[in-house]
Amino acid sequence: MLEHALYRTNSFGFPLEYANPHNPVEWNRRFNTDSLPRALAEIQQRRTSPNGVFSIKVHYSHIKQ
C-alpha cells in the first residue's frame, strides 16, 4: 500500500518489488530483454517520476548473499 501512496504523489517514482527473485522472467518477457539489469533499465525509464526520482522496494531476501 505504501508504494501505491508514494506513486500517487507523483514525486517518488513507483517503488515496487522489481528485484524480487520471482519477477525477472516476467520483466524480461515484457521488455524483450535477457537480464535483470536490462529489464531494470527499462523499468527505470518507465517508472521515474517527473522530478527524476526512481525508487524500488527491496526486501533483504531479494539480495543475493
Side-chain angles (χ1 to χ4, degrees), residues 15-48:
L16 297 179
E17 295 181 25
Y18 304 118
N20 183 318
H22 302 316
N23 295 338
V25 171
E26 178 61 20
W27 294 125
N28 287 331
R29 184 192 68 74
R30 286 186 187 194
F31 301 124
N32 196 29
T33 57
D34 59 2
S35 69
L36 182 58
R38 287 187 178 147
L40 285 174
E42 291 290 330
I43 292 167
Q44 186 175 3
Q45 282 187 327
R46 291 167 168 77
R47 299 291 175 94
T48 297

Side-chain angles (χ1 to χ4, degrees), residues 2-16:
L2 176 60
E3 60 268 15
H4 290 274
L6 291 171
Y7 173 70
R8 284 192 297 272
T9 69
N10 209 26
S11 297
F12 295 100
F14 197 176
L16 297 179

